[in-house]
Every structure is written in structure tokens, then in C-alpha cells.
Amino acid sequence: WEDAGMDRLHGAPESLAYIRSLNAITPPAASFDAAFSSD
């Protein structure tokens, strides 16, 4: 976070929860380039 006025003990857990929620995204089975192949 870039808020100098926010207490780090409040901001850090909030930021961590957000990052962990992004990690829950399931990656696709095929690579990006494979989606455009002409097979």
C-alpha cells in the first residue's frame, strides 16, 4: 500500500489477504500460444 498515514499493522494483513486471493486463480491447462494454434 502507498498510504503513509495507514498503520502498517492494519495495512499489511489487508494487503496479504488481497495477494492470497489472487493466488487462488487457477491457471489454464494450455499455454497462451496454444490457444491460437491452427491444429
Side-chain angles (χ1 to χ4, degrees):
W1 68 95
E2 296 185 14
D3 185 356
M6 179 182 273
D7 180 25
R8 67 180 179 185
L9 295 178
H10 175 75
E14 184 179 328
S15 297
L16 180 60
Y18 174 72
I19 295 300
R20 284 186 173 160
S21 75
L22 294 178
N23 194 27
I25 299 171
T26 306
S31 67
F32 178 80
D33 293 338
F36 298 102
S37 69
S38 60
D39 291 341

